[in-house]
Structure formats: structure tokens, C-alpha cells
């Protein structure tokens, strides 16, 4: 392969979201690899960052989060406007959808569904220290605080409630 072709291939890979762990092999005899795996050898896995590699549940959650990030309030402002509002998404998905309960693990799960490309990407450092002393741990109870929460808590409540609506969680 010529240097220019290799450069073009690497640029294409980097722009497409393909993750390479281990050796990058540009040509592979797949028939041999299948036989190798059948005989107990090490196989290959290609994850290209597209929604084709996501489960139906992951696609539904990704779609709901993308829609959530575009929802606007009565004043035409996005209801999700701060990175720390990922805390509300984290709480809903970890409580109701079996997502990781550790923020760092949650961040990685979100990256796996493509959150880096969202309008507001999931960043662990921005939501891990959120402390909502006014709100109970049980997110299902947050709706009752819609009219009484302070501004800081209210922005979390609005995001959590809307996400639960989008995912049809009661």
C-alpha cells in the first residue's frame, strides 16, 4: 500500500468513529479467521461507531437522549443546556434501565452509543459531583418537586422528567 493510500485510509478511519484496539490490519482473510475462531483461536471484532452495532434498547435510549437535548421550554430555551445535567440522565438510566451505577462506567457506556457527537456530550467530570440535597435518591419521586425545587435542582428535575416521558417510564 502506498503512503498516500495509507494516509487516506487512516483519515477515513479516524473520521468514521472506528475504534482500533490492538493491531490495525488493513487486509484480512476472513475465511481463515472464522476457522481460527472455530478452532479456539482469537477472533476479531469490528466496532465502527454506527447504530448498526447498537442493541434495540441502546438505539431507543440514544434516540431519546438526542430528542431530549433538542427539547425547548416555553421561552424557547433548551431544557438541557449544561453538562452537569447529564446527572439527571445518569440517575434515570441507572435506576430504570440497568445502566451502570458508577458515573465513570456510565460515561463509558454513553461513549459507546456515540454521546461524544451529541450537542451536549457526556463528560464524567461535569456531573460526578452534583449534589442535590433537596431531592430524594429515587428519581421517580422527582416529579413532585417540579414546583418547589431550587433553580439548581429544577434543571435536573426537568431533564429527568422529560427523559422518563420519552422512554415511557412511569
Amino acid at each position: 500500500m502506498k503512503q498516500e493510500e495509507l494516509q487516506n485510509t487512516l483519515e477515513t478511519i479516524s473520521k468514521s468513529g472506528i475504534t482500533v484496539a490492538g493491531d490495525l490490519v488493513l487486509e484480512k482473510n476472513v475465511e481463515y479467521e472464522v476457522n481460527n475462531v472455530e478452532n479456539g483461536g482469537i477472533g476479531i471484532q469490528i466496532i465502527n461507531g454506527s447504530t448498526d452495532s447498537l442493541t434495540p434498547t441502546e438505539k431507543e435510549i440514544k434516540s431519546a437522549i438526542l430528542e431530549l437535548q433538542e427539547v425547548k421550554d416555553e421561552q424557547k430555551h433548551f431544557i438541557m443546556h449544561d453538562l452537569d445535567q447529564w446527572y439527571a440522565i445518569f440517575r434515570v438510566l441507572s435506576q430504570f434501565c440497568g445502566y451502570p451505577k458508577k458515573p465513570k462506567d456510565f460515561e463509558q457506556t454513553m461513549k459507546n452509543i456515540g454521546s461524544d457527537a451529541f450537542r451536549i456530550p457526556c463528560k464524567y467530570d461535569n456531573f460526578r459531583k452534583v449534589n442535590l440535597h433537596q431531592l430524594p435518591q429515587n428519581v421517580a419521586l422527582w416529579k413532585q418537586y417540579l414546583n418547589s425545587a431550587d433553580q439548581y435542582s429544577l434543571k435536573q428535575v426537568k431533564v429527568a422528567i422529560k427523559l422518563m416521558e420519552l422512554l415511557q417510564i412511569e
Side-chain angles (χ1 to χ4, degrees), residues 121-169:
C122 181
K123 302 285 186 200
Y124 162 74
D125 288 333
N126 293 307
F127 74 87
R128 70 183 177 101
K129 294 181 182 177
V130 172
N131 183 12
L132 302 175
H133 56 84
Q134 254 193 343
L135 301 175
Q137 288 291 320
N138 185 349
V139 181
L141 301 175
W142 286 15
K143 196 171 194 173
Q144 66 191 17
Y145 292 88
L146 195 55
N147 296 321
S148 63
D150 61 69
Q151 281 301 111
Y152 183 73
S153 300
L154 186 59
K155 70 181 187 177
Q156 300 288 347
V157 169
K158 287 180 179 180
V159 167
I161 290 171
K162 188 61 182 178
L163 181 58
M164 288 188 288
E165 286 175 13
L166 293 170
L167 294 173
Q168 300 177 348
I169 297 170

Side-chain angles (χ1 to χ4, degrees), residues 14-58:
S14 69
K15 290 177 184 175
S16 69
I18 294 174
T19 304
V20 178
D23 297 329
L24 174 60
V25 179
L26 298 176
E27 294 181 25
K28 184 71 174 168
N29 183 332
V30 176
E31 182 179 334
Y32 171 76
E33 188 63 31
V34 170
N35 290 334
N36 185 24
V37 172
E38 288 173 352
N39 292 324
I42 297 173
I44 59 171
Q45 181 180 14
I46 299 172
I47 302 173
N48 65 6
S50 73
T51 57
D52 294 342
S53 64
L54 300 178
T55 68
T57 302
E58 289 170 329

Side-chain angles (χ1 to χ4, degrees), residues 99-117:
Y99 274 64
K101 297 192 182 307
K102 293 182 180 177
K104 190 68 177 166
D105 295 340
F106 177 81
E107 176 195 38
Q108 187 57 52
T109 301
M110 290 295 99
K111 284 183 181 207
N112 292 344
I113 69 166
S115 72
D116 285 344

